[in-house]
Amino acid sequence: MQALWISLVVIFVAELGDKSQLMALTFATRFKTLPVLAGITVATAVVHLGSVALGRVVGDALPTTAISIVAGVAFLAFALWTLRGDELSEEEEGKAARTTRNAFVAVAVAFFLSELGDKTMLATITLATQHGWFGTWVGSTIGMVAADALAILVGRFLGSRLPEKWIKYGAAAAFAVFGVLLLVEPLFG
């Protein structure tokens, strides 16, 4: 259960302000919410299953102290990445706007491709090196889908009045705290 809750919180925070949220919002303006969320869920579950598998292989091959240090540095890098921010490229915006096929398939394929190498995928790999694979997979999937669902709902209600800067700073601060805790853990553990 610990792996599930840690992964849910970390990935939820990582997803705040991510380009995936922008994609979710863009798709939700064209399609009904349910097929968009279903596509996001399936794509996320598949990508994060591969991520935890990779994380387990890495976790089994490296000593615990090395994993903690690498994970801490990775989370500090995620904090900087979050501060830099994500935006949809013109090509990504165009794809979302042009898609007229089945909404579920369009969203699932777009999310699958956009998540490959994304910070949430890398964070899931990092979490899986230290926690159980199943809890990490379920938690990271729920965390990402919840963050994207929140973006869709909040975006529909508040439109352009979202304090995006605050969201970005809060997510970056959370990543930095996790990074520092992971770096300090080998010293006092």
Side-chain angles (χ1 to χ4, degrees):
M1 278 309 272
Q2 183 181 14
L4 184 141
W5 288 110
I6 289 170
S7 298
L8 190 151
V9 169
V10 168
I11 298 304
F12 181 86
V13 169
E15 188 64 9
L16 296 176
D18 192 70
K19 72 177 178 179
S20 302
Q21 278 193 314
L22 299 173
M23 285 179 57
L25 189 55
T26 302
F27 278 122
T29 62
R30 289 191 43 94
F31 303 118
K32 292 181 180 180
T33 301
L34 190 58
V36 172
L37 283 176
I40 290 168
T41 302
V42 168
T44 300
V46 171
V47 169
H48 288 198
L49 184 59
S51 299
V52 296
L54 183 58
R56 290 310 309 155
V57 169
V58 171
D60 290 342
L62 295 175
T64 308
T65 302
I67 290 172
S68 187
I69 291 169
V70 169
V73 170
F75 275 97
L76 291 174
F78 297 151
L80 293 174
W81 189 347
T82 301
L83 284 175
R84 178 186 64 98
D86 272 337
E87 293 180 8
L88 289 178
S89 68
E90 287 183 33
E91 181 182 340
E92 290 168 326
E93 263 184 45
K95 282 181 185 176
R98 286 191 311 266
T99 303
T100 57
R101 301 180 287 231
N102 180 313
F104 170 80
V105 172
V107 172
V109 169
F111 267 80
F112 177 82
L113 295 174
S114 74
E115 283 305 304
L116 296 176
D118 193 54
K119 70 182 170 190
T120 51
M121 178 186 176
L122 299 174
T124 301
I125 291 169
T126 303
L127 289 164
T129 64
Q130 299 180 325
H131 303 285
W133 75 270
F134 186 75
T136 301
W137 175 54
V138 172
S140 65
T141 300
I142 292 171
M144 185 164 160
V145 172
D148 289 338
L150 179 66
I152 292 168
L153 293 174
V154 170
R156 287 185 183 229
F157 288 118
L158 298 179
S160 62
R161 296 180 301 211
L162 289 174
E164 189 174 325
K165 191 182 233 182
W166 292 359
I167 293 171
K168 181 168 53 171
Y169 291 150
F175 268 126
V177 167
F178 282 118
V180 168
L181 290 174
L182 285 167
L183 288 171
V184 171
E185 184 180 351
L187 299 174
F188 299 104

